[in-house]
């Protein structure tokens, strides 16, 4: 039994600032962010703020990541950044497949799979976001939707070591709505994801960290983290308030 009580999976609390944040918010995080020993804390600021935050936290346990990268290594892709640029900065992670990118920026399953490969090849840890829409859940197709998203990546990326990737289950209907999935719904899906990975992979899915995202707040974090297959959180709105974010970190302590 490890110190974390869930195999070798240390809890994670990650902040996805989306297109929010400012130099003032960066400065506030550098002053006030808690540095818990019992959890990994990762921040995904805008690409514009990534360099300064990464620099500030360079010699600390706080890690940073990009919210998005393009799926080619370099070239004439105006406005984009590459996985290698992120790696060179000293950041450690990149989100891929976030539902906002899938819905608004044309990140199809195939594009997500390509980006995932580029992120892993650059030596970053990909945080693969998956999740069903409300329609898919209401028509009983939630698992199928998530499996399709996982399969698309697995078809091009054969992972041997699940300690080097992270999955975030983010039901689209829970993102930014204030209505988080119940602990039961999130646990059920996350157990299915682990089971799916186990069957496909090397049987090392117990090392894979699966985060939950979607209206996580200080008030619901304890109940969610108590579930066996919820290894931490990807927090949107509530991560813009450092005090609330610190409380979410505190909630994963148990
Ligand atoms: P909210 O926490 O604002 O619902 O956003 C979740 C999310 O999309 C994190 O990536």
């Amino acid at each position: 039994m490890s110190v974390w009580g869930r195999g070798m999976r240390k809890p994670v609390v990650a902040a996805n600032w989306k297109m929010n944040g400012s130099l003032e918010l960066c400065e506030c995080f550098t002053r006030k962010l808690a540095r818990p020993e019992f959890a990994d804390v990762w921040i995904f600021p805008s690409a514009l703020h990534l360099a300064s935050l990464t620099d500030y936290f360079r010699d600390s346990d706080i890690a940073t990541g990009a919210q998005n990268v393009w799926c080619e290594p370099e070239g004439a892709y105006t406005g984009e950044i590459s996985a290698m640029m992120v790696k060179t900065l000293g950041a450690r992670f990149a989100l891929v497949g976030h539902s906002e990118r899938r819905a608004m920026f044309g990140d199809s399953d195939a594009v997500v799979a390509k980006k995932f490969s580029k992120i892993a090849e650059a030596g970053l840890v990909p945080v693969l976001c998956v999740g069903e829409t409300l329609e898919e859940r209401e028509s009983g197709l939630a698992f199928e939707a998530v499996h399709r998203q996982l399969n698309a990546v697995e078809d091009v990326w054969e992972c041997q070591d699940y300690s080097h990737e992270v999955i975030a289950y983010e039901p689209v209907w829970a993102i930014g709505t204030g209505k988080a999935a119940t602990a039961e719904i999130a646990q059920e899906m996350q157990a299915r994801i682990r089971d799916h990975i186990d069957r496909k992979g090397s049987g090392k899915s117990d090392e894979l960290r699966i985060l939950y995202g979607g209206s996580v707040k200080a008030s619901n974090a304890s109940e969610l983290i108590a579930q066996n297959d919820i290894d931490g959180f990807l927090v949107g709105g509530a991560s813009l308030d450092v005090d609330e974010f610190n409380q979410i970190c505190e909630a994963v302590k148990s």
Side-chain angles (χ1 to χ4, degrees):
M1 197 67 171
S2 85
V3 286
W4 300 303
R6 52 181 83 229
M8 291 306 292
R9 306 194 301 272
K10 188 175 184 182
V12 176
V13 186
N16 175 10
W17 285 359
K18 309 190 180 187
M19 201 179 74
N20 297 297
S22 58
L23 285 176
E24 288 72 30
L25 188 70
C26 293
E27 196 268 329
C28 177
F29 265 65
T30 57
R31 272 189 301 112
K32 293 181 71 181
L33 183 61
R35 320 281 170 108
E37 282 174 10
F38 47 84
D40 284 338
V41 176
W42 307 338
I43 308 173
F44 295 85
S46 76
L48 208 57
H49 298 126
L50 183 59
S52 47
L53 266 189
T54 302
D55 225 28
Y56 183 85
F57 288 120
R58 192 170 299 278
D59 295 319
S60 79
D61 288 335
I62 310 293
T64 55
Q67 294 175 14
N68 178 48
V69 297
W70 184 235
C71 50
E72 297 296 339
E74 62 187 356
Y77 303 101
T78 301
E80 296 291 341
I81 60 173
S82 73
M84 196 47 87
M85 288 172 180
V86 173
K87 172 74 179 170
T88 308
L89 276 186
R92 298 200 12 230
F93 300 88
L95 301 182
V96 59
H98 193 282
S99 66
E100 286 151 14
R101 296 221 51 97
R102 292 179 190 265
M104 290 186 263
F105 302 100
D107 284 12
S108 63
D109 285 340
V111 168
V112 170
K114 241 179 134 181
K115 287 185 175 184
F116 185 101
S117 300
K118 282 288 171 291
I119 291 165
E121 283 162 14
L124 296 166
V125 176
V127 179
L128 174 63
C129 303
V130 296
E132 80 284 1
T133 62
L134 185 60
E135 295 71 41
E136 286 164 334
R137 176 151 289 272
E138 286 181 343
S139 43
L141 295 172
F143 297 122
E144 283 75 3
V146 169
H147 287 178
R148 190 201 70 235
Q149 292 167 346
L150 293 171
N151 283 332
V153 171
E154 286 156 5
D155 284 349
V156 299
W157 182 258
E158 240 178 64
C159 185
Q160 299 298 326
D161 181 354
Y162 288 103
S163 60
H164 293 308
E165 76 174 71
V166 176
I167 292 176
Y169 169 54
E170 300 205 301
V172 178
W173 46 270
I175 294 178
T177 59
K179 288 187 191 154
T182 62
E184 293 70 30
I185 286 180
Q187 165 58 27
E188 183 187 27
M189 179 63 87
Q190 300 197 192
R192 295 275 295 252
I193 292 172
R194 198 178 305 286
D195 189 51
H196 170 94
I197 298 288
D198 210 27
R199 277 188 237 188
K200 284 239 171 174
S202 58
K204 282 196 161 181
S205 69
D206 54 342
E207 291 176 25
L208 171 70
R209 289 190 282 187
I210 306 177
L211 315 184
Y212 168 78
S215 298
V216 173
K217 308 184 251 301
S219 57
N220 57 19
S222 301
E223 194 188 351
L224 287 160
I225 199 68
Q227 308 301 310
N228 275 346
D229 290 289
I230 299 181
D231 304 316
F233 302 119
L234 185 53
V235 187
S239 75
L240 297 170
D241 176 336
V242 72
D243 296 323
E244 171 126 20
F245 189 71
N246 283 343
Q247 285 174 43
I248 295 171
C249 292
E250 191 59 30
V252 309
K253 192 171 187 172
S254 45

